[in-house]
Amino acid sequence: MAELPRSLPEFEARFPDEAACARWLLDKRWPDGFRCPACGHDKGRELGRERLTVQCAACERQVSVTAGTVLHGSHLGLRTWFLAAWLMATHANGISARQLWRQLGLGGYKSAWLLARKLRRAMVDPEREPLAGLVEVDETSVPFRAKGEPVRPGRSHDGRLLLAGAVEIKGKGPGRVRLAVIGDYSAVALGAFVAAVIAVGGTVVSDGWPGYRRLKEVKHDPRVVGDAPAHAVLPWVHRVFANAKRWALGVYHGLRERHLQAYLDEFVFRFNRRRTPHAAFDRLLGLSLTLEPATYQMLVGRG
Ligand SMILES: [Zn+2]
């Protein structure tokens, strides 16, 4: 497969038109050549160049390169999808739907919002491996923004969303990260988070909060004794929380309650690929090939 674009001019050269994007999807879908999903036959005839469809030579089934992906059924061109994915994956801070709307010259904000939401959904790999080894775990809260209202910092508990974070410790630096919305700071909620994101046999490094005392399947290493500041013993998870909050304010001017997990997933996707931003683009569109298309109702209904 050809080299991935590292700059906007390279992107323009690599994906000059719809046909180039369709070709890329075709190679991605069948890296070893066409195989009919209906009958398994390995010979097909290509129909159309822009919305590439392959017709099986044996059973005549027509298979679109976008079938079963998040791009399927969209009225937007493939190139718009590719450019949006490239901007979201390679921009250090990502890009909001509002920025996409302007930069891509889309007709309406709703199109841009849906596009961003679908790509963000493709950022979670259902097959991803749980974190392993030494893992810092902590919880924090972020102020949430009610519809049409700016963030009001310093509000009490009911204006804030709770979230849990986990960061692998790899030598002197952070490895992979997970962030999740939680209902409360109870042992049940934190135990469920740890069970979901950390592999059996891993070690949770915590600040000693009682919510971590009854963990099963993982070891526990409470680091805070007495008045030691939490950021001194859990440096990486605190840095990730701080970065995520700054990002949320800068890019989105605060997060909305309903879509918080999706925004956290976007932050995590980018953080975990921070050293390979160009490969993130490939990953984003590649991942989208394994997901079922989401409808508007599914997207707006999910938290
Ligand atoms: Zn067939």
Side-chain angles (χ1 to χ4, degrees), residues 107-162:
Y109 172 69
K110 192 174 162 184
S111 295
W113 184 87
L114 258 185
L115 181 64
R117 182 72 183 86
K118 286 180 179 177
L119 287 171
R120 208 174 283 122
R121 186 171 172 271
M123 287 177 173
V124 179
D125 179 359
E127 310 279 302
R128 66 186 182 179
E129 293 289 320
L131 307 185
L134 270 184
V135 183
E136 287 184 10
V137 179
D138 204 6
E139 62 294 317
T140 188
S141 65
V142 288
F144 71 79
R145 187 165 66 123
K147 205 172 174 70
E149 271 184 62
V151 173
R152 283 176 290 173
R155 289 182 66 195
S156 63
H157 213 62
D158 60 352
R160 302 181 75 83
L161 296 159
L162 310 183

Side-chain angles (χ1 to χ4, degrees), residues 84 86-97 99-100 120 123 247 251-252 266 270:
W86 189 79
L87 288 170
M88 279 185 91
T90 61
H91 211 273
N93 287 317
I95 187 162
S96 69
Q99 289 169 311
L100 270 186
R120 208 174 283 122
M123 287 177 173
W247 168 77
V251 178
Y252 295 110
E266 179 182 350
R270 192 166 294 107

Side-chain angles (χ1 to χ4, degrees), residues 34 36-41 43 56-61:
F34 172 76
C36 175
C39 73
H41 190 71
K43 296 238 168 7
C56 175
C59 74
E60 302 199 323
R61 166 82 162 263

Side-chain angles (χ1 to χ4, degrees), residues 193-235:
F193 172 70
V194 166
V197 305
I198 302 178
V200 170
T203 298
V204 168
V205 181
S206 85
D207 60 3
W209 173 255
Y212 297 108
R213 270 184 208 151
R214 287 185 287 149
L215 295 174
K216 299 189 181 97
E217 316 287 352
V218 293
K219 296 182 269 301
H220 184 209
D221 179 8
R223 292 280 174 92
V224 171
V225 180
D227 296 330
H231 61 81
V233 289
L234 300 172

